[in-house]
Amino acid sequence: MSLSMPAARPLFDYPKYWAECFGPAPFLPMSRAEMDQLGWDSCDIIIVTGDAYVDHPSFGMAVIGRLLEAQGFRVGIISQPDWQSKDAFMQLGKPNLFFGVAAGNMDSMINRYTADRKVRSDDAYTPGGKGGSRPDRASLVYSQRCREAWKDVPIILGGIEASLRRIAHYDYWQDKVRRSILLDARADLLLFGNAERAIVDVAQRLSRGDSLAEMTDIRGTAFIRKDSPEGWFELDSSRIDRPGKVDKIINPYVNTQDTAACAVEQSKGDAQQEAGSDVQVLELLPHPRLERDRTVIRLPAYEKVKGDPVLYAHANRVLHLETNPGNARALVQRHGDQEVWFNPPPIPLSTEEMDYVFDLPYARVPHPTYGDARIPAYEMIRFSVNIMRGCFGGCTFCSITEHEGRIIQNRSHDSIIREIEAIRDTVPGFTGVISDLGGPTANMYRVACKSREIEASCRKPSCVYPGICENLDTDHSSLIGLYRKARELPGVKKILIASGLRYDLAVESPEYVRELVTHHVGGYLKIAPEHTENGPLDKMMKPGIGSYDRFKQMFEKYSKEAGKEQYLIPYFIAAHPGTTDEDMMNLALWLKRNGFRADQVQAFYPSPMASATAMYHSGKNPLRKVSYKSESVDTVKGERQRRLHKAFLRYHDPNNWPLLRETLKAMGRSDLIGNGKHQLIPTFQPAIDSYQSARRKNSTPAGSPKAGRVLTQHTGLPPRETGKRKAGKGKPRSGAR
């Protein structure tokens, strides 16, 4: 069967709404006074968000707001409203078309709580970095307040919180399976994934007088319907992946109301099976094109997956099998007496559409109402440029692939260069350094399947695991050309690459590694092997540590050739499903052999809908066929074991030595306790805790950092050279900044 990516109407091919005559606003209004200045009597669409409003293409409310504005609509923003009453949700008046509700750039529960379920004291998306400016499950609360404010205004959910919670999902904070967020929020429609296509289509159709009830054909949407429409073929999910025992096929001509006849047929089936009969049963399927275009897959109902972890893992597996826009089918899941229907994922944006979205008239700064207050998330990306979307890595603990898809969506060189020039010319405080040219992954720009037909047919969860797919074109030449163009721009002194690097992909292009190491590393380069042992790496869908070693050799070779002293900073995850105590011990030994002392430790965080979260909840592996007898996965759930796994990563911290000594003795590895180089922790315990983390040691509480001091993630590394030196001392290291 030949498949191809379905065609989609370009974003810039819609007629403009009448309000286009007002033109673009300097900022999307957040108050009635601003609306009056713009000459608006009302908003057509109001976006409610849990983040501070930053008019920058890295912030969801700005992208969607500016895109709708370009379609001719008047868009207002209600940012981080007081959710205790409906009053804040009425401040811009009644929207003519709909409320768009999103929790923000992060799931609100992940934003508000640590992996140990402790409330965070800070929020990077809030002025001043203060915590507490958004509620738990913000999408639900905001939707309820919007409904109280204006009962007859449609509510459309979007953003990553809605995307990851669209089906019945395991909620780490309540330790239970929750219903689809669409039902709990009582919203009219849910948009998942990158929602530009869907939101433009919905807005255009509502402006023409269509009702949301008629909009059942928009990709990337979820909605409630009573039953499957006429003309659709319903396929049970067990036909794709059987979670357990399946009833034997009986004679189709037997009257199933005749229990005696059914019993006879059942006994015949048992006899045939015992005799090893080779009788084959033919199964007639619908026409192949009909199967894809007019087929809906029925997932186990919410009530089933809520009480059966194996069925939950099965449903999670089927969901991830249906994520390629080229071959994905619709899904449906019953919740009580309601059906939640999920259309196939959105078609990826073309390069021309990506340019269109990123070339919109963003102010590139926070809304003036925040004054001089710092918004940490904005400070991080103020001088960075997003060059692509998507990730085909498929790491099981990550939400990028689930939200943005596996097909890389690229901007053109010209669009990226225009944005760098805009930063240089308009963004306050620019010193000539672009902090990042990247995206979800630094080096997947223009990397794609060699065949569009194969890409549209593929159902693999990753293009780079267990090895790089033979159909993947790993050519980095376009990215290298982009780096060189950006470096040549007047007024640009340095281009750094801060996005995560897929090093197993990078080693396929030595020229790219040379270019990166020679020109775009500011002393340290962060990469994420995540672990050293195959057990957890297999459950993460990450390459073996050998790939890291190959990249490290290339990194050091090209750093030496460039005359630069540079270092790799590897990141690791503790307590990931599939990780044993022995795995963590071996990782700690590897860290010590290689001289790494992790300052911050990342513990596994079960985000909604992730495959690793399904492992955590069910103890089953959804990367393979799931059944009650299928492979079990070790999970780290108890507080003590989670502390232990983090302690192994911070083996150098005296506070962890008592727990590690106790554990090593219980494991029969007392040989690792002592003062030798080959041993992990010493036998003595200091009376006073003398340990000081690298974060605290290499940073100053206030003012500018002292010369030679820098915020790092590891101890044992020399401080970054600032260029200042005392008379008579050696020359500063080349490549320092």
Side-chain angles (χ1 to χ4, degrees), residues 99 145 164 187 349 453 518 666 711 719 734:
F99 276 112
R145 291 291 181 255
L164 299 186
L349 299 186
E453 188 176 60
T518 304
L711 184 68
S734 61

Side-chain angles (χ1 to χ4, degrees), residues 423-544:
I423 293 172
R424 178 196 63 192
D425 299 338
T426 65
V427 177
F430 182 65
T431 61
V433 178
I434 296 295
S435 60
D436 187 28
L437 278 186
T441 305
N443 60 321
M444 286 187 182
Y445 180 77
R446 298 282 175 198
V447 176
C449 191
K450 296 175 182 177
S451 164
R452 291 290 181 90
E453 188 176 60
I454 292 174
E455 180 181 71
S457 303
C458 183
R459 293 169 69 78
K460 290 178 62 177
S462 172
C463 300
V464 288
Y465 180 84
I468 295 175
C469 178
E470 60 182 10
N471 295 311
L472 187 67
D473 183 357
T474 60
D475 182 15
H476 283 58
S477 59
S478 183
L479 185 55
I480 294 169
L482 175 62
Y483 288 175
R484 291 172 179 170
K485 286 181 184 178
R487 290 203 308 269
E488 292 172 359
L489 287 174
V492 175
K493 300 175 184 177
K494 185 81 173 177
I495 302 282
L496 296 173
I497 306 302
S499 296
L501 185 78
R502 191 78 195 202
Y503 53 86
D504 53 338
L505 200 61
V507 296
E508 298 295 310
S509 176
E511 183 184 5
Y512 171 75
V513 180
R514 183 197 298 270
E515 189 80 13
L516 174 75
V517 171
T518 304
H519 301 287
H520 302 287
V521 176
Y524 304 116
L525 180 68
K526 296 181 288 186
I527 58 174
E530 309 297 5
H531 218 284
T532 58
E533 307 305 295
N534 289 334
L537 287 173
D538 286 345
K539 303 303 182 293
M540 299 175 185
M541 287 207 299
K542 292 284 288 186

Side-chain angles (χ1 to χ4, degrees), residues 168 177 236-237 298-308 311-312 314-315 332-336 338-339:
V177 175
D236 190 270
S237 63
R298 177 166 293 283
L299 298 174
Y302 160 70
E303 288 76 14
K304 293 285 188 182
V305 299
K306 179 182 179 182
D308 190 333
L311 280 182
Y312 179 88
H314 158 74
V332 65
Q333 186 176 50
R334 179 170 287 280
H335 289 64
Q338 295 176 299
E339 301 270 27

